[in-house]
Amino acid sequence: MAVGKGHPVVGAEGDHVGKVSRVIADEQRDIFSGIAFRPGLLEGERYAPAALVQEITEEAIVLSIPADEAERLDPYDA
């Protein structure tokens, strides 16, 4: 399934966390490292490593942590 910019990100309870701003992966080696997402338009990117991605569906990327914890994830540093 293709996931890209703008795909919704939700916490473990289904609460909205933000939208994907970029997928972090090495496509040549087929390695998914995680996602960077923005909680809001004017907020900086946060990084959710692959270990925190519980599920990827057509509707959203579901994290294994609650939304309030996702809001405290480290900023994404490219």
Side-chain angles (χ1 to χ4, degrees):
M1 171 185 324
V3 172
K5 190 172 183 177
H7 203 78
V9 180
V10 298
E13 296 90 14
D15 296 326
H16 181 77
V17 171
K19 292 188 177 184
V20 173
S21 52
R22 64 182 89 203
V23 176
I24 316 303
D26 182 339
E27 292 180 23
Q28 291 182 343
R29 294 167 65 189
D30 198 27
I31 297 172
F32 171 66
S33 298
I35 59 166
F37 67 92
R38 287 191 186 274
L41 289 175
L42 302 177
E43 297 181 62
E45 292 177 299
R46 300 276 178 219
Y47 176 65
L52 293 182
V53 175
Q54 178 176 310
E55 182 179 16
I56 299 174
T57 70
E58 290 182 16
E59 290 80 35
I61 292 178
V62 181
L63 300 179
S64 61
I65 58 175
D68 63 334
E69 285 184 41
E71 292 171 2
R72 295 189 302 268
L73 288 171
D74 291 334
Y76 175 68
D77 186 19

